[in-house]
Amino acid sequence: MKKNDEIRISDILYEIVKHRVLIISLTIAGLLVGIVLSGVSFLRGEMSKQYIITSSFTVNTQTEQGLFTSGQEFPNQSDITMSEDLVNTVSYVFKSDKMLEDIINSLGLLGVTTKDIYDNLSLQPYEETQIIEMSLYWRSADEGINILTELNQKAPEILKETLNIGSISVLNQPAARYIIGGNINVAFWGYMALIGLGLGLAIAISKLFIHPTLINLKDIKQVFKKELLGDIIEDKAYFDRRKSILEDDGISPNIKESFASVANIIQSRLSKRDGSHIIYVTSTMRGEGRTSVTANLAVQLSELENRVLLIDLDTKNPSLSGLFLKNIDYAHSLNAFCSGDISKAEAVVSLNGYLDIMPTILERSPIPIDSNLFHVIQQIAVDYDYVLIDTAPVGLTADPMNLNQIASAGLFVIRFDDVTLKEIKSAVERIEKIEVNLLGCIVNGVKISKKEIQDPVKIRNAEAKRDMMGDPLVKLETPKSMENFDTGMKDTGAPLVTDFSEDIAVDETEKQPETVASSRDFIDLLFQAESNQTSDEEKN
């Protein structure tokens, strides 16, 4: 889906962090499964060693002729001393591959290797004497007894064959004793935890390929070939509050600044000299924050002293008015106006000096999106600089397509990491077919840490990093765009950018950048210009 099927390392890391709870949970689950299985195997005696088979014997110095090294039929002190010296040698011979291979072949043990016996066979001298205690941990009592018995029987022969000296005398015949399990296999816990970790990582990364979403603002330009007008950080405390958007208490300055920068960009693109502008706002699916973006953007445009009218044309799910008004009356609604029950003045509700809204209420028969409605909107629009229309998602209905008859521009809202890239691209292509001037995209719900939300400096640094990664640039052609922007601001009477274009043209020592990397940088550019202008005035 992405350009050249490019998958970035940052995308993979984001998915891992996003699904960290799942990954950690599966890792812990794997560890717990390993502990449980290990414990069950331990209690059932099936981990590695279920029985312990013991036997003991003494080492002597008999030769092949049956005499001791002293030449006597009975050992003397020197024979006993030599027997004690032979203990380590005999232990080595007992665990040698030659001895163990002979045992396996003699008993016809299937699936048993010399290493299996070697690892579970232990020979210990008894208090520095010629007596050796032998023990074998084995799963089968009978098979274990047969192994030790065979060892005892073959020992005299192999000792005389390999050393030409030595023999053994069995003290205790092999006997088996059941034990509860063997060693707890801690490594097994680690293996199961790694399996859980791998499963979690596989799920996280597979979602990146199967269900790719917008998690890198760079894709606005690369995948959709559109311009990023602004990115709105995720702040649930602000968007979930049950207050009118016009109430400033508790509003995040970062949220306000983000919408303000987008409003300034729109104002610079759509000059007042071109008359009123009808702009519709849509998205791919519901739940992307389209209505909230429309409302906040209208507030910021009105704060720039533009006459703004909000119209809710998501007729099957009208919710725009609820962001401003507690109660919505049919007697003051678009529904009543379209039905001819009230006048235009009665349908429009004033929110502040520059912002009005035409509410829509949910009815069994929604308002038809047809030429009659468009005629009404065009009549109303002449009294405003901007008419912002909240429409239904273009991915669900064709209603927004009809607005090409009256709309001068469109805005596309995308929720960060929500709808698939394929669905977004399809929706954008549908809009392009109706040949509406799509100003660009606004990405809503960009996820950053709570600490960054409280620290605007870190937000700027984070945006700078995203811009360095290749976020699309907002081009400002100088001086035409600046002249339009300057004209628009002069119409509002705001002193912020008085003679702004002249400052750019005259001051050669302080060259202003012709591009800004994000919408927030645009507003920074304005404040920098204001600061430069103030400094020049002080010098004069």
Side-chain angles (χ1 to χ4, degrees), residues 247-267:
E247 297 183 29
D248 284 342
D249 58 310
I251 185 172
S252 168
N254 303 313
I255 295 291
K256 187 173 182 178
E257 183 182 348
S258 297
F259 283 112
S261 62
V262 177
N264 276 281
I265 292 175
I266 291 175
Q267 183 173 260

Short mmCIF file of all heavy atoms in Angstrom, two decimals, residues 247-267:
data_model
loop_
_atom_site.label_atom_id
_atom_site.label_comp_id
_atom_site.label_asym_id
_atom_site.label_seq_id
_atom_site.Cartn_x
_atom_site.Cartn_y
_atom_site.Cartn_z
N GLU A 247 -16.08 27.74 25.66
CA GLU A 247 -15.58 27.95 27.01
C GLU A 247 -14.09 27.64 27.04
O GLU A 247 -13.67 26.51 26.77
CB GLU A 247 -16.33 27.07 28.01
CG GLU A 247 -17.81 27.39 28.09
CD GLU A 247 -18.51 26.55 29.14
OE1 GLU A 247 -17.86 26.14 30.13
OE2 GLU A 247 -19.72 26.26 28.96
N ASP A 248 -13.29 28.64 27.40
CA ASP A 248 -11.83 28.49 27.33
C ASP A 248 -11.25 27.78 28.53
O ASP A 248 -10.09 27.34 28.49
CB ASP A 248 -11.16 29.86 27.21
CG ASP A 248 -11.30 30.42 25.80
OD1 ASP A 248 -11.58 29.62 24.90
OD2 ASP A 248 -11.14 31.64 25.64
N ASP A 249 -11.97 27.67 29.62
CA ASP A 249 -11.38 27.08 30.83
C ASP A 249 -11.06 25.61 30.59
O ASP A 249 -11.89 24.83 30.14
CB ASP A 249 -12.33 27.22 32.02
CG ASP A 249 -13.67 26.56 31.76
OD1 ASP A 249 -14.26 26.85 30.71
OD2 ASP A 249 -14.13 25.76 32.62
N GLY A 250 -9.82 25.25 30.86
CA GLY A 250 -9.39 23.86 30.71
C GLY A 250 -8.93 23.50 29.32
O GLY A 250 -8.50 22.38 29.08
N ILE A 251 -9.01 24.44 28.37
CA ILE A 251 -8.60 24.12 27.00
C ILE A 251 -7.08 24.03 26.92
O ILE A 251 -6.37 24.85 27.51
CB ILE A 251 -9.13 25.16 26.00
CG1 ILE A 251 -8.80 24.73 24.57
CG2 ILE A 251 -8.56 26.54 26.29
CD1 ILE A 251 -9.43 25.61 23.52
N SER A 252 -6.60 23.03 26.26
CA SER A 252 -5.16 22.85 26.10
C SER A 252 -4.61 23.92 25.16
O SER A 252 -5.11 24.08 24.05
CB SER A 252 -4.85 21.46 25.56
OG SER A 252 -3.51 21.37 25.16
N PRO A 253 -3.56 24.66 25.57
CA PRO A 253 -2.98 25.67 24.66
C PRO A 253 -2.41 25.04 23.40
O PRO A 253 -2.37 25.67 22.34
CB PRO A 253 -1.89 26.32 25.52
CG PRO A 253 -1.57 25.32 26.58
CD PRO A 253 -2.85 24.60 26.86
N ASN A 254 -1.98 23.81 23.50
CA ASN A 254 -1.42 23.13 22.33
C ASN A 254 -2.51 22.82 21.30
O ASN A 254 -2.29 22.95 20.09
CB ASN A 254 -0.73 21.84 22.76
CG ASN A 254 0.35 22.09 23.78
OD1 ASN A 254 1.17 22.98 23.60
ND2 ASN A 254 0.36 21.34 24.86
N ILE A 255 -3.68 22.41 21.80
CA ILE A 255 -4.80 22.15 20.91
C ILE A 255 -5.22 23.45 20.22
O ILE A 255 -5.43 23.50 19.00
CB ILE A 255 -5.99 21.56 21.69
CG1 ILE A 255 -5.63 20.18 22.25
CG2 ILE A 255 -7.22 21.46 20.80
CD1 ILE A 255 -5.47 19.10 21.24
N LYS A 256 -5.36 24.49 21.00
CA LYS A 256 -5.78 25.78 20.45
C LYS A 256 -4.79 26.29 19.41
O LYS A 256 -5.17 26.79 18.35
CB LYS A 256 -5.93 26.79 21.59
CG LYS A 256 -6.53 28.11 21.15
CD LYS A 256 -6.80 29.00 22.35
CE LYS A 256 -7.45 30.32 21.91
NZ LYS A 256 -7.76 31.19 23.07
N GLU A 257 -3.51 26.14 19.71
CA GLU A 257 -2.48 26.61 18.79
C GLU A 257 -2.51 25.82 17.49
O GLU A 257 -2.31 26.37 16.40
CB GLU A 257 -1.11 26.49 19.44
CG GLU A 257 0.02 27.03 18.58
CD GLU A 257 1.38 26.85 19.22
OE1 GLU A 257 1.42 26.52 20.43
OE2 GLU A 257 2.38 27.04 18.53
N SER A 258 -2.77 24.50 17.57
CA SER A 258 -2.82 23.67 16.37
C SER A 258 -3.94 24.12 15.44
O SER A 258 -3.74 24.27 14.23
CB SER A 258 -3.02 22.20 16.77
OG SER A 258 -1.94 21.72 17.53
N PHE A 259 -5.14 24.34 16.00
CA PHE A 259 -6.25 24.78 15.17
C PHE A 259 -6.03 26.21 14.65
O PHE A 259 -6.43 26.53 13.54
CB PHE A 259 -7.56 24.70 15.96
CG PHE A 259 -8.10 23.32 16.08
CD1 PHE A 259 -8.15 22.67 17.31
CD2 PHE A 259 -8.56 22.63 14.97
CE1 PHE A 259 -8.64 21.39 17.43
CE2 PHE A 259 -9.06 21.34 15.08
CZ PHE A 259 -9.10 20.71 16.30
N ALA A 260 -5.39 27.05 15.47
CA ALA A 260 -5.13 28.42 15.05
C ALA A 260 -4.19 28.44 13.84
O ALA A 260 -4.37 29.24 12.90
CB ALA A 260 -4.52 29.22 16.20
N SER A 261 -3.18 27.58 13.84
CA SER A 261 -2.25 27.55 12.72
C SER A 261 -2.94 27.08 11.44
O SER A 261 -2.69 27.60 10.36
CB SER A 261 -1.06 26.65 13.05
OG SER A 261 -1.48 25.32 13.28
N VAL A 262 -3.84 26.09 11.57
CA VAL A 262 -4.58 25.63 10.39
C VAL A 262 -5.49 26.74 9.88
O VAL A 262 -5.62 26.97 8.67
CB VAL A 262 -5.41 24.37 10.73
CG1 VAL A 262 -6.24 23.95 9.53
CG2 VAL A 262 -4.50 23.23 11.15
N ALA A 263 -6.13 27.46 10.81
CA ALA A 263 -7.02 28.56 10.41
C ALA A 263 -6.25 29.63 9.65
O ALA A 263 -6.73 30.18 8.65
CB ALA A 263 -7.68 29.15 11.65
N ASN A 264 -5.05 29.94 10.10
CA ASN A 264 -4.24 30.94 9.41
C ASN A 264 -3.84 30.48 8.01
O ASN A 264 -3.82 31.28 7.06
CB ASN A 264 -2.97 31.24 10.22
CG ASN A 264 -3.21 32.28 11.30
OD1 ASN A 264 -3.26 33.48 11.03
ND2 ASN A 264 -3.38 31.82 12.53
N ILE A 265 -3.52 29.21 7.87
CA ILE A 265 -3.17 28.68 6.55
C ILE A 265 -4.36 28.76 5.60
O ILE A 265 -4.23 29.18 4.44
CB ILE A 265 -2.66 27.24 6.66
CG1 ILE A 265 -1.32 27.20 7.39
CG2 ILE A 265 -2.53 26.60 5.30
CD1 ILE A 265 -0.80 25.81 7.66
N ILE A 266 -5.54 28.39 6.11
CA ILE A 266 -6.74 28.45 5.27
C ILE A 266 -7.02 29.89 4.86
O ILE A 266 -7.35 30.18 3.70
CB ILE A 266 -7.94 27.85 6.03
CG1 ILE A 266 -7.75 26.33 6.18
CG2 ILE A 266 -9.24 28.13 5.29
CD1 ILE A 266 -8.81 25.67 7.01
N GLN A 267 -6.88 30.81 5.79
CA GLN A 267 -7.14 32.22 5.49
C GLN A 267 -6.16 32.74 4.44
O GLN A 267 -6.51 33.54 3.57
CB GLN A 267 -7.05 33.05 6.76
CG GLN A 267 -7.38 34.53 6.53
CD GLN A 267 -7.44 35.31 7.81
OE1 GLN A 267 -8.51 35.58 8.33
NE2 GLN A 267 -6.28 35.66 8.34
#
